[in-house]
Amino acid sequence: MEIISENKCFGGVQGVYKHASSATQCDMTFAVFMPPQAAQNPVPVLWYLSGLTCTHENAMIKAFAQGFAAEHGLALVFPDTSPRGDDIANHDDYDLGQGAGFYVNATQKPWAPHFQMWDYVTDELPTLVATEFNVRADANGITGHSMGGHGALTIAMTLPDRYQSLSAFAPIANPTASDWGRKQFSAYLGDDETTWVAHDASILMREHGFHSPILIDQGLGDNFLDLLKPQSLNDAMAARGQAGEYRMQDGYDHSYYFVQSFMQDHIKHHAALLT
Amino acid sequence: MEIISENKCFGGVQGVYKHASSATQCDMTFAVFMPPQAAQNPVPVLWYLSGLTCTHENAMIKAFAQGFAAEHGLALVFPDTSPRGDDIANHDDYDLGQGAGFYVNATQKPWAPHFQMWDYVTDELPTLVATEFNVRADANGITGHSMGGHGALTIAMTLPDRYQSLSAFAPIANPTASDWGRKQFSAYLGDDETTWVAHDASILMREHGFHSPILIDQGLGDNFLDLLKPQSLNDAMAARGQAGEYRMQDGYDHSYYFVQSFMQDHIKHHAALLT
């Protein structure tokens, strides 16, 4: 693991790192915030998965999470959203290919050799982080924004023993019924829609739910409500009897101005379950 | 005034605006955060002046100020750091010309026609903001980072009736004795160093001080300590008997990771004097 940068931040360290990934078969960049408490004891980890077009950097800069993570003694990890490189498959559309990994393991050409983001985020990177940083491997929360909210929800509901807390900001909530989902699953997973089901939060919610209360915020001024489909997941939560809140926030859009406005609530939510 | 963007943020509005400036004779872009309290009553304004190479955008995105401003009911204004445009004088160095206005009124060629940032920040933009936003024209605080800390200190000590509160992050503290100052004052103000004195915080501190306690944070891991010269201003504060604190923060560098780490303290400092 190579250190790209480390800066003191809220008494802890905000770092950016690079490593050769075996899952994605390319160099991957990620960011970690370690709170001051980690100087004494291992700390829980909150995983933040980003949305379409983002790198490790967007939330690190714009989500305003570090101060609250320092207050509550949580590490933050910001993975990239896809493999990247000139020799890696890509697409002209912003919502397919590099920057748009959708947190699945691709099985189809030309994506399969590198687009293994499920394995990267749930297996390879956690192992690396647990080795390189003073974190508790047994205390993980997960959250994310938009495509990253989709990732957080589907990962946590599929691996409930690994994640003790779950939240999301404006998640893509029913991708098998949305152009933010059908297009990508078709490309990455192929035309057999039965393989898509494992990556749809609304379906997973009806089948499994999550063992702890979840927190989801969604702006009502979001331009992408038709693609995100919050009502589908909200209905599934009601049908399941899932503990938690799907908060519809008046006037907020899809930007990081929305995410940062509610970050403190999410950090508190995770800290209560992780510490 | 043209609205570039407005996003709901922490219950208020983060906006970006453009107007034709008479002071700088070009279009100027600036950002304003209006807290939710402004929907009811006029609110005090905290001016944030940015550093070398910055636009209105850097602090708006990276300073993590909006949440605390919303909590305390302060508006935030983020001006640009210079006039900009293809037909406006510039220099190949990052620390002279566009992005490096140094908050002075240039008297020398080729800078004088547009580089009137003192007048822009202290006169034209406050008048525009007071007209366009629900703010209290009689309640202004000022802060800034690096070159912007220099601007905040020199402006507030020169116009003490206009500013009720003052703070700075890693300010250029003694520019007449630094390459961050001598180079720019020579270019903008000419070789007569008597004209530079009005723009040196350490000299103004010895002569005038400020009527209220001031708060300055400086990272001890800052790569630019030799250029910033905090000791000169610290000595001047001691000689003057200036109320306030010059806090030397162990391990912090010159980046926005430093600024954001102490923003809450600065917002509280201004709010206590402005509200």
Side-chain angles (χ1 to χ4, degrees):
Chain A
M1 188 184 81
E2 175 189 349
I3 299 172
I4 304 293
S5 64
E6 290 189 329
N7 299 80
K8 189 165 180 180
C9 180
F10 289 101
V13 177
Q14 177 62 62
V16 178
Y17 309 93
K18 190 164 79 173
H19 69 123
S21 164
S22 57
T24 65
Q25 291 288 308
C26 67
D27 284 350
M28 295 290 288
T29 303
F30 64 101
V32 175
F33 173 72
M34 290 301 292
Q37 293 86 345
Q40 273 74 52
N41 296 299
V43 295
V45 181
L46 177 58
W47 295 79
Y48 183 101
L49 304 185
S50 286
L52 289 165
T53 76
C54 290
T55 69
H56 67 283
E57 199 176 38
N58 301 63
M60 177 183 84
I61 292 175
K62 297 180 178 178
F64 293 17
Q66 290 91 341
F68 304 120
E71 185 182 333
H72 292 282
L74 301 183
L76 303 169
V77 183
F78 305 98
D80 202 347
T81 58
S82 78
R84 292 181 192 272
D86 290 344
D87 55 345
I88 289 172
N90 204 356
H91 194 281
D92 286 342
D93 295 349
Y94 76 96
D95 59 359
L96 190 64
Q98 296 185 31
F102 259 78
Y103 305 101
V104 301
N105 290 333
T107 58
Q108 305 298 304
K109 291 181 183 173
W111 311 106
H114 298 282
F115 283 71
Q116 302 293 316
M117 287 301 291
W118 179 278
D119 281 354
Y120 178 70
V121 165
T122 66
D123 186 7
E124 184 180 17
L125 192 55
T127 300
L128 180 68
V129 167
T131 304
E132 297 281 351
F133 298 90
N134 194 22
V135 297
R136 286 178 52 195
D138 65 337
N140 290 279
I142 191 163
T143 187
H145 173 227
S146 195
M147 178 182 75
H150 145 76
L153 289 161
T154 55
I155 286 170
M157 285 191 278
T158 305
L159 301 167
D161 296 343
R162 294 268 304 282
Y163 299 92
Q164 287 72 52
S165 58
L166 170 60
S167 77
F169 298 86
I172 298 176
N174 189 194
T176 63
S178 168
D179 287 341
W180 273 355
R182 298 189 63 81
K183 171 181 179 176
Q184 295 80 7
F185 292 169
S186 174
Y188 298 144
L189 304 176
D191 291 334
D192 176 2
E193 297 192 18
T194 62
T195 66
W196 301 4
V197 169
H199 297 285
D200 186 300
S202 292
I203 295 170
L204 291 171
M205 177 57 67
R206 285 180 189 270
E207 291 181 355
H208 304 296
F210 189 66
H211 50 63
S212 299
I214 67 177
L215 174 61
I216 305 178
D217 279 304
Q218 173 62 59
L220 287 172
D222 193 317
N223 286 333
F224 303 108
L225 286 173
D226 286 352
L227 290 162
L228 299 169
K229 302 198 177 301
Q231 196 58 51
S232 297
L233 180 54
N234 205 15
D235 289 349
M237 285 175 67
R240 181 78 201 168
Q242 172 66 48
E245 288 185 275
Y246 213 121
R247 305 190 305 189
M248 299 297 170
Q249 303 287 5
D250 189 41
Y252 287 90
D253 60 25
H254 200 62
S255 71
Y256 268 94
Y257 297 112
F258 155 69
V259 173
Q260 67 190 220
S261 296
F262 300 102
M263 182 54 70
Q264 183 173 22
D265 292 349
H266 285 246
I267 298 277
K268 282 183 182 172
H269 170 80
H270 289 277
L273 291 164
L274 292 172
T275 59
Chain B
M1 189 184 81
E2 177 189 348
I3 299 172
I4 305 293
S5 64
E6 289 189 331
N7 299 79
K8 189 165 180 180
C9 180
F10 289 102
V13 178
Q14 178 61 62
V16 177
Y17 309 93
K18 190 163 80 172
H19 70 121
S21 164
S22 57
T24 64
Q25 292 287 309
C26 66
D27 283 350
M28 295 291 289
T29 304
F30 64 101
V32 175
F33 173 72
M34 291 301 292
Q37 294 86 345
Q40 273 73 52
N41 296 300
V43 295
V45 181
L46 176 57
W47 294 80
Y48 183 100
L49 305 185
S50 286
L52 289 165
T53 76
C54 290
T55 69
H56 66 281
E57 199 175 38
N58 301 63
M60 176 184 85
I61 292 175
K62 296 180 178 179
F64 292 16
Q66 289 91 341
F68 304 120
E71 185 182 330
H72 292 282
L74 300 183
L76 302 170
V77 183
F78 304 97
D80 202 347
T81 58
S82 78
R84 292 182 192 272
D86 291 342
D87 55 345
I88 289 173
N90 204 358
H91 194 279
D92 285 343
D93 296 349
Y94 75 97
D95 59 359
L96 190 64
Q98 297 184 31
F102 260 77
Y103 306 102
V104 301
N105 291 333
T107 58
Q108 306 298 303
K109 291 181 183 175
W111 312 106
H114 298 283
F115 283 71
Q116 302 293 315
M117 287 301 290
W118 180 277
D119 282 354
Y120 178 69
V121 165
T122 66
D123 186 7
E124 184 179 16
L125 192 55
T127 301
L128 180 68
V129 166
T131 304
E132 297 282 351
F133 298 90
N134 193 23
V135 296
R136 286 177 52 195
D138 65 337
N140 290 280
I142 190 164
T143 188
H145 174 228
S146 194
M147 178 182 73
H150 146 75
L153 289 162
T154 55
I155 286 170
M157 286 192 276
T158 305
L159 300 168
D161 295 343
R162 295 267 305 282
Y163 298 92
Q164 287 72 54
S165 59
L166 169 61
S167 77
F169 299 86
I172 298 176
N174 188 194
T176 62
S178 168
D179 287 342
W180 274 354
R182 297 189 63 81
K183 172 181 178 176
Q184 295 80 5
F185 292 169
S186 175
Y188 297 145
L189 303 176
D191 292 333
D192 177 2
E193 296 193 19
T194 62
T195 65
W196 302 3
V197 169
H199 298 286
D200 187 300
S202 293
I203 295 171
L204 291 171
M205 177 56 69
R206 285 181 188 270
E207 291 181 356
H208 305 296
F210 189 66
H211 51 62
S212 299
I214 67 177
L215 173 61
I216 306 178
D217 278 304
Q218 172 63 58
L220 287 173
D222 193 317
N223 286 332
F224 303 108
L225 286 173
D226 286 351
L227 290 162
L228 300 169
K229 301 198 177 299
Q231 196 57 51
S232 297
L233 180 55
N234 206 15
D235 290 348
M237 285 174 66
R240 180 80 201 166
Q242 172 66 47
E245 288 184 274
Y246 212 121
R247 306 191 305 190
M248 298 297 171
Q249 303 286 5
D250 189 41
Y252 287 90
D253 61 25
H254 200 63
S255 71
Y256 268 94
Y257 296 112
F258 155 70
V259 174
Q260 66 190 220
S261 296
F262 300 102
M263 182 54 71
Q264 183 173 21
D265 292 349
H266 285 247
I267 298 277
K268 281 183 182 171
H269 169 81
H270 288 277
L273 291 164
L274 292 172
T275 58

